[in-house]
Amino acid sequence: MDGTETNRRNCASTEQQKMLDSGGNQNGSKDRVTLKKEIGLLSACAIIIGNIIGSGIFISPKGVLDHAGSVGFSLIVWVLGGGICALGSLCYAELGVTIPKSGGDYSYVTEIFGGLVGFLLLWSAVLIMYPTTLAVIALTFSNYVLQPAFPNCLPPYIATRLLSTTCVMFLTWVNCSSVRWGTRIQDIFTVGKLLALVLIIVVGMVQIANGHYDALEPQTAFEFIKDPSVGQIALAFLQASFAYSGWNFLNYVTEEVVEPRKNLPRAIYISIPLVTLVYTLTNIAYFSSMSPQELLDSNAVAVTFGEKLLGVFSWVMPISVALSTFGGINGYLFTSSRLCFSGAREGHLPYLLAMIHLKSCTPIPALLVCCTATIVILCIGDTHNLINYVSFINYLSYGVTIAGLLYYRWKKPKLVRPIKVNLLVPCSYLVFWAVLLGFSLYSEPVVCGMGLVIMLTGVPIYFIGVQWKNKPHWISTLCNEKATYLGQRLCYVVFPQDDPSEIQPLTEKSEL
């Protein structure tokens, strides 16, 4: 750690003590203001499953089938997509226990490659990736909630935006109030969304048992609707990746996990295979009742499925999707706010975002920033084009992070690693990653190129905002001291104290 970073942390500790003293803390050093460790194994699994299963499984089947070209190949894409996520999650498990800091990709890349690369990931995530994903999930929630009131037309634009904004603001308040409330909502709605998918799977299996599986017979399943191409297959995997996105989100809250070196990998090993199985069976269930053309023509696959098979109980599907997306919004808010928190702690975002509430120990400023950015994206209106940018940036960040694992192995070969995956795992992932991004860039150069442009706009911001140390005094005073002081008074927040037993780097093996 350089001298500037050490001085910043020392200053942070001084400011924190002042705030504690002014707040009337009578216990002195006995009360530590830290991020609370309230995420056990069950909640850890709920965070992974809850973040993966959002709106994607109700949106992406249409896109995967469209690009894959046949029912059989689309099912292969879903299975392989889960397998690729499993490879990536194994690599993240090693990184998570080797560099046990909240922030996920950003923290690992910053530690391995330095500030600029880490900042570019942070910049694209805070500016586009997570606000856009939150906005899409919130709009899916509002559309499904309002659909019964507007059965013959789309819900009004204003109504969907108002309901989406209300939902985001309510869940922001919940997460500002208590870490436990946020995790309990995640636990409950994760169970709810799994039950909704189990309903689809059970009904689909009953259909298959009754002989309704024409679209799944081998001679029919591999009849291509259109001529396949490598570029289209790559886009099919990108569509599936949107449904699987979120598999790495537990790494964003490592410091709030109970015994992270044990529970982080356990949660990954349980959650990823479960989601892959559920996704594959859900798609099989869809094809048991819908022809490929019916699925392509549907704007709401789960609702069409319910209308065909559930009769008077078809209202169950819109409600199930709404509950699923509600839990997804909560999960994304919970984890993305920790990314802002980690970025601010490293000095890449305003220091105010690295503060937590004095009593509830929640990162209120970071949560408010995530909420505000999402509402801005909702007001822009056109989020569908941004989904493609998000998928491309997501995969780009995954690849850079896993390449960092290999570089870190070479850079610090003697570092003690509680988990050390076989080199074939990251190498296999990177080969698939390079092929996928290469053909995606070839097939959609404008969309993927815009994703790169969005990320690279962070370069001048980094050099002006982070690297430029000798800023005029009035800028430093206004942006750091006064803004931080005002934010502390409004939100009643302080800098947290680090828990050395959990976040200190692992030591290297000594020579014998």
Side-chain angles (χ1 to χ4, degrees), residues 273-288:
L274 178 60
V275 171
T276 303
L277 177 64
V278 169
Y279 273 14
T280 305
L281 292 177
T282 300
N283 278 276
I284 291 174
Y286 285 152
F287 290 119
S288 72

PDB file of all heavy atoms in Angstrom, residues 273-288:
ATOM      1  N   PRO A 273     -24.966 -25.341  -9.934  1.00  0.00           N
ATOM      2  CA  PRO A 273     -25.602 -26.533 -10.521  1.00  0.00           C
ATOM      3  C   PRO A 273     -27.124 -26.525 -10.372  1.00  0.00           C
ATOM      4  O   PRO A 273     -27.844 -26.962 -11.276  1.00  0.00           O
ATOM      5  CB  PRO A 273     -24.972 -27.692  -9.736  1.00  0.00           C
ATOM      6  CG  PRO A 273     -23.684 -27.156  -9.216  1.00  0.00           C
ATOM      7  CD  PRO A 273     -23.950 -25.714  -8.930  1.00  0.00           C
ATOM      8  N   LEU A 274     -27.627 -26.018  -9.229  1.00  0.00           N
ATOM      9  CA  LEU A 274     -29.069 -25.970  -9.011  1.00  0.00           C
ATOM     10  C   LEU A 274     -29.745 -25.071 -10.037  1.00  0.00           C
ATOM     11  O   LEU A 274     -30.773 -25.448 -10.638  1.00  0.00           O
ATOM     12  CB  LEU A 274     -29.366 -25.480  -7.593  1.00  0.00           C
ATOM     13  CG  LEU A 274     -30.844 -25.323  -7.221  1.00  0.00           C
ATOM     14  CD1 LEU A 274     -31.571 -26.658  -7.336  1.00  0.00           C
ATOM     15  CD2 LEU A 274     -30.997 -24.750  -5.816  1.00  0.00           C
ATOM     16  N   VAL A 275     -29.178 -23.891 -10.272  1.00  0.00           N
ATOM     17  CA  VAL A 275     -29.774 -22.959 -11.237  1.00  0.00           C
ATOM     18  C   VAL A 275     -29.719 -23.539 -12.650  1.00  0.00           C
ATOM     19  O   VAL A 275     -30.690 -23.427 -13.416  1.00  0.00           O
ATOM     20  CB  VAL A 275     -29.051 -21.596 -11.181  1.00  0.00           C
ATOM     21  CG1 VAL A 275     -29.507 -20.702 -12.325  1.00  0.00           C
ATOM     22  CG2 VAL A 275     -29.326 -20.898  -9.854  1.00  0.00           C
ATOM     23  N   THR A 276     -28.598 -24.156 -13.012  1.00  0.00           N
ATOM     24  CA  THR A 276     -28.478 -24.756 -14.350  1.00  0.00           C
ATOM     25  C   THR A 276     -29.547 -25.830 -14.565  1.00  0.00           C
ATOM     26  O   THR A 276     -30.192 -25.880 -15.626  1.00  0.00           O
ATOM     27  CB  THR A 276     -27.082 -25.381 -14.532  1.00  0.00           C
ATOM     28  OG1 THR A 276     -26.077 -24.380 -14.303  1.00  0.00           O
ATOM     29  CG2 THR A 276     -26.912 -25.933 -15.941  1.00  0.00           C
ATOM     30  N   LEU A 277     -29.759 -26.666 -13.566  1.00  0.00           N
ATOM     31  CA  LEU A 277     -30.783 -27.708 -13.659  1.00  0.00           C
ATOM     32  C   LEU A 277     -32.174 -27.094 -13.808  1.00  0.00           C
ATOM     33  O   LEU A 277     -32.968 -27.502 -14.673  1.00  0.00           O
ATOM     34  CB  LEU A 277     -30.725 -28.599 -12.417  1.00  0.00           C
ATOM     35  CG  LEU A 277     -31.789 -29.700 -12.319  1.00  0.00           C
ATOM     36  CD1 LEU A 277     -31.617 -30.714 -13.445  1.00  0.00           C
ATOM     37  CD2 LEU A 277     -31.729 -30.391 -10.955  1.00  0.00           C
ATOM     38  N   VAL A 278     -32.472 -26.095 -12.981  1.00  0.00           N
ATOM     39  CA  VAL A 278     -33.789 -25.452 -13.018  1.00  0.00           C
ATOM     40  C   VAL A 278     -34.027 -24.777 -14.365  1.00  0.00           C
ATOM     41  O   VAL A 278     -35.113 -24.899 -14.965  1.00  0.00           O
ATOM     42  CB  VAL A 278     -33.922 -24.439 -11.860  1.00  0.00           C
ATOM     43  CG1 VAL A 278     -35.162 -23.561 -12.041  1.00  0.00           C
ATOM     44  CG2 VAL A 278     -33.991 -25.164 -10.525  1.00  0.00           C
ATOM     45  N   TYR A 279     -33.029 -24.059 -14.885  1.00  0.00           N
ATOM     46  CA  TYR A 279     -33.165 -23.370 -16.176  1.00  0.00           C
ATOM     47  C   TYR A 279     -33.411 -24.358 -17.314  1.00  0.00           C
ATOM     48  O   TYR A 279     -34.267 -24.138 -18.178  1.00  0.00           O
ATOM     49  CB  TYR A 279     -31.915 -22.543 -16.461  1.00  0.00           C
ATOM     50  CG  TYR A 279     -31.935 -21.149 -15.886  1.00  0.00           C
ATOM     51  CD1 TYR A 279     -32.872 -20.770 -14.938  1.00  0.00           C
ATOM     52  CD2 TYR A 279     -31.006 -20.198 -16.293  1.00  0.00           C
ATOM     53  CE1 TYR A 279     -32.892 -19.496 -14.410  1.00  0.00           C
ATOM     54  CE2 TYR A 279     -31.004 -18.917 -15.776  1.00  0.00           C
ATOM     55  CZ  TYR A 279     -31.954 -18.565 -14.835  1.00  0.00           C
ATOM     56  OH  TYR A 279     -31.970 -17.298 -14.322  1.00  0.00           O
ATOM     57  N   THR A 280     -32.654 -25.440 -17.327  1.00  0.00           N
ATOM     58  CA  THR A 280     -32.798 -26.418 -18.409  1.00  0.00           C
ATOM     59  C   THR A 280     -34.175 -27.069 -18.369  1.00  0.00           C
ATOM     60  O   THR A 280     -34.856 -27.186 -19.401  1.00  0.00           O
ATOM     61  CB  THR A 280     -31.704 -27.498 -18.314  1.00  0.00           C
ATOM     62  OG1 THR A 280     -30.411 -26.867 -18.302  1.00  0.00           O
ATOM     63  CG2 THR A 280     -31.772 -28.454 -19.494  1.00  0.00           C
ATOM     64  N   LEU A 281     -34.618 -27.490 -17.178  1.00  0.00           N
ATOM     65  CA  LEU A 281     -35.933 -28.110 -17.048  1.00  0.00           C
ATOM     66  C   LEU A 281     -37.061 -27.117 -17.361  1.00  0.00           C
ATOM     67  O   LEU A 281     -38.098 -27.502 -17.920  1.00  0.00           O
ATOM     68  CB  LEU A 281     -36.116 -28.674 -15.633  1.00  0.00           C
ATOM     69  CG  LEU A 281     -35.229 -29.875 -15.273  1.00  0.00           C
ATOM     70  CD1 LEU A 281     -35.463 -30.291 -13.824  1.00  0.00           C
ATOM     71  CD2 LEU A 281     -35.496 -31.047 -16.210  1.00  0.00           C
ATOM     72  N   THR A 282     -36.862 -25.846 -17.021  1.00  0.00           N
ATOM     73  CA  THR A 282     -37.879 -24.833 -17.332  1.00  0.00           C
ATOM     74  C   THR A 282     -38.053 -24.682 -18.835  1.00  0.00           C
ATOM     75  O   THR A 282     -39.187 -24.599 -19.342  1.00  0.00           O
ATOM     76  CB  THR A 282     -37.491 -23.481 -16.704  1.00  0.00           C
ATOM     77  OG1 THR A 282     -37.394 -23.621 -15.288  1.00  0.00           O
ATOM     78  CG2 THR A 282     -38.533 -22.415 -17.032  1.00  0.00           C
ATOM     79  N   ASN A 283     -36.952 -24.673 -19.580  1.00  0.00           N
ATOM     80  CA  ASN A 283     -37.039 -24.556 -21.036  1.00  0.00           C
ATOM     81  C   ASN A 283     -37.660 -25.800 -21.652  1.00  0.00           C
ATOM     82  O   ASN A 283     -38.427 -25.709 -22.621  1.00  0.00           O
ATOM     83  CB  ASN A 283     -35.657 -24.297 -21.623  1.00  0.00           C
ATOM     84  CG  ASN A 283     -35.262 -22.833 -21.546  1.00  0.00           C
ATOM     85  OD1 ASN A 283     -35.618 -22.047 -22.409  1.00  0.00           O
ATOM     86  ND2 ASN A 283     -34.553 -22.469 -20.491  1.00  0.00           N
ATOM     87  N   ILE A 284     -37.349 -26.967 -21.106  1.00  0.00           N
ATOM     88  CA  ILE A 284     -37.998 -28.197 -21.580  1.00  0.00           C
ATOM     89  C   ILE A 284     -39.502 -28.112 -21.341  1.00  0.00           C
ATOM     90  O   ILE A 284     -40.311 -28.497 -22.204  1.00  0.00           O
ATOM     91  CB  ILE A 284     -37.391 -29.426 -20.872  1.00  0.00           C
ATOM     92  CG1 ILE A 284     -35.949 -29.650 -21.349  1.00  0.00           C
ATOM     93  CG2 ILE A 284     -38.227 -30.669 -21.128  1.00  0.00           C
ATOM     94  CD1 ILE A 284     -35.220 -30.740 -20.594  1.00  0.00           C
ATOM     95  N   ALA A 285     -39.889 -27.576 -20.177  1.00  0.00           N
ATOM     96  CA  ALA A 285     -41.317 -27.421 -19.873  1.00  0.00           C
ATOM     97  C   ALA A 285     -41.992 -26.464 -20.854  1.00  0.00           C
ATOM     98  O   ALA A 285     -43.127 -26.717 -21.297  1.00  0.00           O
ATOM     99  CB  ALA A 285     -41.487 -26.926 -18.439  1.00  0.00           C
ATOM    100  N   TYR A 286     -41.318 -25.360 -21.205  1.00  0.00           N
ATOM    101  CA  TYR A 286     -41.879 -24.424 -22.173  1.00  0.00           C
ATOM    102  C   TYR A 286     -42.202 -25.144 -23.493  1.00  0.00           C
ATOM    103  O   TYR A 286     -43.274 -24.967 -24.069  1.00  0.00           O
ATOM    104  CB  TYR A 286     -40.896 -23.290 -22.460  1.00  0.00           C
ATOM    105  CG  TYR A 286     -40.784 -22.251 -21.362  1.00  0.00           C
ATOM    106  CD1 TYR A 286     -39.598 -21.533 -21.188  1.00  0.00           C
ATOM    107  CD2 TYR A 286     -41.845 -21.960 -20.512  1.00  0.00           C
ATOM    108  CE1 TYR A 286     -39.476 -20.576 -20.201  1.00  0.00           C
ATOM    109  CE2 TYR A 286     -41.732 -20.998 -19.518  1.00  0.00           C
ATOM    110  CZ  TYR A 286     -40.540 -20.305 -19.364  1.00  0.00           C
ATOM    111  OH  TYR A 286     -40.420 -19.351 -18.387  1.00  0.00           O
ATOM    112  N   PHE A 287     -41.249 -25.965 -23.961  1.00  0.00           N
ATOM    113  CA  PHE A 287     -41.413 -26.619 -25.262  1.00  0.00           C
ATOM    114  C   PHE A 287     -42.417 -27.766 -25.217  1.00  0.00           C
ATOM    115  O   PHE A 287     -42.822 -28.266 -26.261  1.00  0.00           O
ATOM    116  CB  PHE A 287     -40.066 -27.120 -25.777  1.00  0.00           C
ATOM    117  CG  PHE A 287     -39.134 -26.013 -26.195  1.00  0.00           C
ATOM    118  CD1 PHE A 287     -37.908 -25.840 -25.567  1.00  0.00           C
ATOM    119  CD2 PHE A 287     -39.499 -25.139 -27.205  1.00  0.00           C
ATOM    120  CE1 PHE A 287     -37.061 -24.819 -25.941  1.00  0.00           C
ATOM    121  CE2 PHE A 287     -38.651 -24.101 -27.591  1.00  0.00           C
ATOM    122  CZ  PHE A 287     -37.424 -23.940 -26.960  1.00  0.00           C
ATOM    123  N   SER A 288     -42.815 -28.173 -24.001  1.00  0.00           N
ATOM    124  CA  SER A 288     -43.833 -29.216 -23.905  1.00  0.00           C
ATOM    125  C   SER A 288     -45.219 -28.688 -24.242  1.00  0.00           C
ATOM    126  O   SER A 288     -46.138 -29.468 -24.517  1.00  0.00           O
ATOM    127  CB  SER A 288     -43.843 -29.817 -22.493  1.00  0.00           C
ATOM    128  OG  SER A 288     -44.384 -28.891 -21.555  1.00  0.00           O
TER     129      SER A 288
END
